[in-house]
Structures are given as structure tokens and as C-alpha cells.
């Protein structure tokens, strides 16, 4: 009785048997396709892609080298460290502020030891950055003297000041000896001097494009104007518009204002008349007047 019950589960009709056979046939076909057919498609690779794939090892090597890259530190004068520069060197905010406060008093550090005394940086950080300190040559020569003594607020300290050269007699070789001045800037200084006929004041160094306040201070410690040069003065009341506009301190628009002013008000007699002209650089009036003939 029990066997009959079980056999009833395996009793199929003709249609069911046909369906089972077809199902087994489909399974066998699919298994055969899976085992005997290669599904890895051969992709066509362009020449450019083949070239990049060939360079992959080189690219990987470059990536690895970039991970090991560390920023190179170039020689620098520690007196002129900015906030960003100090941060990149590993200095704390308080250490940078101490240096900036010291510089605001118009004081300079002349050695790594003085730098540490002012900023309070650690010995470990000083050992890393001190080899890159670059001080002016005159500082090195002073520190190299065995009998050197640092004088402060004493009358005879002036004996330590280097003899100054006349800026109007300075050559390019003289200028490039100053820390912060290279071949390009030295040529700009000489060209401005030649166009004016000579400098009448060291304040004119501010008119040379590319000179920072620190470099101008270095120039002032090496050069001065000993005597006013003999220059070809511009007859401001009779010169033509073209002649006036060719002067280094007068652009064409200002030259037109000068011609207009003198045609409406008569001759320009002095500096007071000059500063009444629209667009005239008042802060340079006294210097410009030395190149004019009233």
C-alpha cells in the first residue's frame, strides 16, 4: 500500500514525460556550451592604448617616486621669513610672531644662534633649517673677524659702517654685489640713471620696478648720492608736449595736463605750481623739480 502511494508521485502523463526530456536536453546543451565555449572576447586594442599600457610600469614608478618626494629648501635669509614660509619650515605661530616683532624694531639676526634666541625654536628644528640660512657677505665677514665686537647705541659704533659708494658712479658689477640684486635689476637701475642723467636721491630706488623694501635698505647701506649730478633740465614752460612726455616721470596724459595748465595759467614758477596740476605725483614733486628748469 505504501509503495503504491510512492509510485503515484512518479506517475507522469505522456506530455509530462516529453517536457522532462526537453528540460534535460536544454540543461545538457547549456552545460556543454559553458564547458566548451570560450567567453573571453578578443578586444581590439588601439595602437595608442597599447602604447599607454606599455608605459604603465614607468607610470607606476613615477607615482611611487612622488610619494617619496619632499619639498626642496633653497638658501634664504631668515630675517625675511613670512608667515607662510615659517609654516612650511615647521615653525609655530608664536615662533613666527616673535621674529616678526623683532623685525618691526628694525633689528636683524646675524647667526643661527641669534635666530634661536629670538624665535625660541627647538634645537631639532634649528638643526634642520640652519644649514639653509644665507646671510649677506658683509655679515659673514664681520662674524669672521676674531676681534669683532657688537656695539649697540655707542657713538663709536659708526666706525663699523662700510664706506658708501656714489650711486651715480656705480657699475653693474658694483650693484650685483648687493644681496637681492641680480643682473636684470642692476640693468634697470643703470637704465633709469642714464635716462634721467643721474640720481638726485636714493628715494628714487623706489621707482625701480622689482625692488623690495628689504633690497632698497641693502642699497642704502652700500650707496648714497654724494652730489647732485649735472643733468639736462627740461624747460617746463617752453618744452613741447613730445619733449615733456619723454621724461621718465611724465606719461603722455600728465604731459598734456602740464601743457594745458601753463596755457591757461601762464608759466609754472615753482613746485607749488606743479602740484596744482591734475595727476601730478605730489610725493615726488621735490625730486622731479630738480630735473626741471622754471
Amino acid at each position: 500500500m505504501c509503495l503504491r502511494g510512492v509510485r503515484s508521485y512518479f506517475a507522469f502523463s505522456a506530455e509530462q514525460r516529453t517536457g522532462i526530456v526537453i528540460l534535460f536536453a536544454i540543461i545538457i546543451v547549456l552545460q556543454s556550451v559553458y564547458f566548451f565555449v570560450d567567453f573571453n572576447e578578443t578586444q581590439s586594442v588601439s595602437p595608442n592604448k597599447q602604447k599607454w599600457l606599455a608605459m604603465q610600469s614607468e607610470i607606476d614608478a613615477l607615482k611611487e617616486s612622488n610619494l617619496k618626494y619632499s619639498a626642496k629648501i633653497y638658501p634664504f635669509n631668515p630675517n625675511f621669513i613670512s608667515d607662510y614660509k615659517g609654516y612650511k619650515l615647521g615653525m609655530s605661530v608664536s615662533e613666527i610672531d616673535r621674529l616678526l616683532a623683532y623685525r618691526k624694531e628694525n633689528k636683524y639676526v646675524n647667526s643661527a644662534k641669534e635666530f634661536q634666541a629670538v624665535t625660541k625654536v627647538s634645537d631639532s628644528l634649528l638643526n634642520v633649517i640652519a644649514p639653509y640660512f644665507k646671510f649677506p657677505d658683509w655679515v659673514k665677514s664681520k662674524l669672521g673677524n676674531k676681534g669683532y665686537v657688537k656695539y649697540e647705541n655707542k657713538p663709536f659704533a659708526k666706525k663699523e659702517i662700510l664706506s658708501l659708494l656714489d650711486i651715480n658712479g656705480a657699475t653693474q658689477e658694483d650693484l650685483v654685489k648687493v644681496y637681492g640684486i641680480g643682473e636684470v635689476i642692476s640693468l634697470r637701475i643703470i637704465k633709469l640713471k642714464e635716462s634721467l642723467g643721474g640720481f638726485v636721491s636714493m628715494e628714487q630706488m623706489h621707482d625701480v620696478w622689482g625692488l623690495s623694501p628689504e633690497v632698497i635698505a641693502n642699497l642704502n647701506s652700500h650707496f648714497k648720492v654724494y652730489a647732485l649730478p649735472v643733468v639736462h633740465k627740461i624747460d617746463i614752460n617752453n618744452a613741447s608736449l613730445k619733449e615733456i612726455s619723454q621724461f621718465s616721470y611724465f606719461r603722455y596724459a600728465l604731459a598734456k595736463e602740464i601743457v594745458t595748465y601753463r596755457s591757461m595759467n601762464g608759466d609754472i614758477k615753482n613746485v607749488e605750481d606743479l602740484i596744482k596740476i591734475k595727476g601730478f605725483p605730489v610725493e615726488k614733486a621735490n625730486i622731479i623739480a630738480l630735473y626741471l628748469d622754471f
Side-chain angles (χ1 to χ4, degrees), residues 6-272:
V6 173
R7 289 181 62 184
S8 64
Y9 288 104
F10 294 96
F12 301 103
S13 64
E15 293 178 354
Q16 289 174 333
R17 287 193 295 270
T18 302
I20 292 172
V21 171
I22 294 174
L23 177 61
F24 275 109
I26 291 173
I27 293 172
I28 293 172
V29 170
L30 292 176
Q31 289 292 332
S32 300
V33 171
Y34 176 78
F35 283 108
F36 297 108
V37 177
D38 186 7
F39 289 95
N40 296 325
E41 297 181 2
T42 304
Q43 298 179 353
S44 59
V45 182
S46 64
N48 287 335
K49 188 171 182 180
Q50 289 178 346
K51 182 179 178 180
W52 283 110
L53 290 174
M55 295 176 64
Q56 186 62 45
S57 60
E58 184 176 349
I59 294 172
D60 293 339
L62 289 174
K63 287 182 178 179
E64 185 176 354
S65 64
N66 284 336
L67 293 175
K68 299 178 181 179
Y69 171 77
S70 59
K72 184 177 180 180
I73 304 177
Y74 294 93
F76 62 93
N77 189 332
N79 286 292
F80 306 120
I81 292 178
S82 62
D83 289 333
Y84 178 73
K85 178 74 173 178
Y87 166 76
K88 295 293 287 184
L89 292 173
M91 295 175 64
S92 66
V93 175
S94 58
E95 291 167 349
I96 299 171
D97 288 344
R98 291 189 195 104
L99 177 63
L100 296 179
Y102 187 77
R103 286 290 296 113
K104 283 183 179 180
E105 298 176 3
N106 201 26
K107 296 180 181 178
Y108 295 83
V109 295
N110 295 322
S111 66
K113 185 177 180 180
E114 287 186 15
F115 178 81
Q116 186 180 35
V118 171
T119 60
K120 311 298 183 185
V121 297
S122 62
D123 292 337
S124 58
L125 178 58
L126 185 68
N127 291 334
V128 173
I129 64 178
Y132 300 98
F133 286 177
K134 181 177 177 64
F135 297 100
D137 294 335
W138 64 269
V139 172
K140 295 178 183 178
S141 62
K142 270 189 175 182
L143 296 177
N145 294 334
K146 294 182 179 179
Y148 171 74
V149 178
K150 184 178 179 181
Y151 300 109
E152 294 182 357
N153 299 324
K154 296 182 181 179
F156 53 88
K158 292 183 179 179
K159 294 181 180 179
E160 295 294 325
I161 299 177
L162 301 174
S163 58
L164 304 181
L165 299 177
D166 190 342
I167 188 65
N168 288 312
T171 63
Q172 186 178 6
E173 289 74 17
D174 295 327
L175 293 170
V176 296
K177 291 178 182 178
V178 178
Y179 181 74
I181 294 182
E183 182 179 352
V184 174
I185 293 182
S186 62
L187 284 175
R188 289 178 190 162
I189 295 173
I190 291 175
K191 286 181 179 179
L192 180 59
K193 179 184 69 176
E194 292 175 347
S195 67
L196 293 171
F199 294 117
V200 297
S201 169
M202 288 301 293
E203 288 295 318
Q204 292 173 280
M205 295 302 103
H206 292 277
D207 301 324
V208 180
W209 186 82
L211 284 181
S212 65
E214 293 79 13
V215 176
I216 292 175
N218 288 339
L219 273 171
N220 287 325
S221 66
H222 288 78
F223 300 98
K224 67 177 292 186
V225 176
Y226 279 97
L228 293 179
V230 179
V231 299
H232 176 68
K233 295 188 176 183
I234 299 173
D235 186 351
I236 194 65
N237 291 308
N238 297 296
S240 66
L241 174 63
K242 181 179 180 181
E243 290 173 333
I244 297 175
S245 63
Q246 289 175 343
F247 182 49
S248 297
Y249 286 106
F250 295 157
R251 294 185 179 181
Y252 184 78
L254 180 55
K256 286 182 65 177
E257 292 291 340
I258 293 172
V259 172
T260 302
Y261 180 88
R262 76 187 186 191
S263 65
M264 297 179 64
N265 300 278
D267 288 349
I268 300 172
K269 301 179 179 62
N270 47 41
V271 176
E272 286 72 20

